[in-house]
Amino acid sequence: MTAENETTADQDVAFADATEMTGHGEAIITLDAAGRVTSWNPAAAEIFGWSAGEMTGETLDRLASSGKEVAEERRLVEEALRAGRTLRHYETTRIRKDGREITVHIT
């Protein structure tokens, strides 16, 4: 097993654990270093209308209501990561597959 496969396997276990711990109503989405979706739980599919197969390997840009919003959110996340902090309770708007706008809280 390569280091990359081990990292992916570790992420899969963490994703499964997080999904089990949070219950059924919370979307859990994991991204790789390039910002592409690596996992998308059933609640994410229900909330956003996109299946895991449709989103895996894609960026979250298709969920954003504006490019400016995406850039600002990436800046906030990167800033928090560099400072060793967790981004908590960030409220924003997303677009479902059917085009409806929804408010989400990102942590």
Side-chain angles (χ1 to χ4, degrees):
M1 183 177 276
T2 67
E4 183 177 318
N5 289 344
E6 288 176 12
T7 300
T8 302
D10 291 344
Q11 288 173 339
D12 290 345
V13 169
F15 175 74
D17 289 346
T19 301
E20 187 175 307
M21 288 172 24
T22 61
H24 301 288
E26 297 182 32
I28 299 174
I29 302 163
T30 58
L31 307 173
D32 65 13
R36 292 181 305 263
V37 173
T38 58
S39 60
W40 182 267
N41 76 341
E46 184 176 331
I47 291 167
F48 295 107
W50 299 94
S51 71
E54 291 172 305
M55 288 303 297
T56 301
E58 300 293 328
T59 66
L60 297 179
D61 291 352
R62 69 170 37 161
L63 305 178
S65 59
S66 77
K68 181 180 177 186
E69 185 175 82
V70 169
E72 175 63 11
E73 289 170 9
R74 282 190 184 139
R75 186 191 66 74
L76 289 171
V77 169
E78 289 171 1
E79 183 180 286
L81 289 173
R82 278 193 299 275
R85 293 181 287 113
T86 302
L87 185 64
R88 294 196 177 270
H89 310 293
Y90 180 78
E91 185 175 299
T92 188
T93 302
R94 291 288 182 258
I95 306 295
R96 289 177 35 86
K97 185 177 182 178
D98 64 12
R100 286 189 298 141
E101 229 178 60
I102 58 172
T103 300
V104 298
H105 297 265
I106 299 172
T107 58

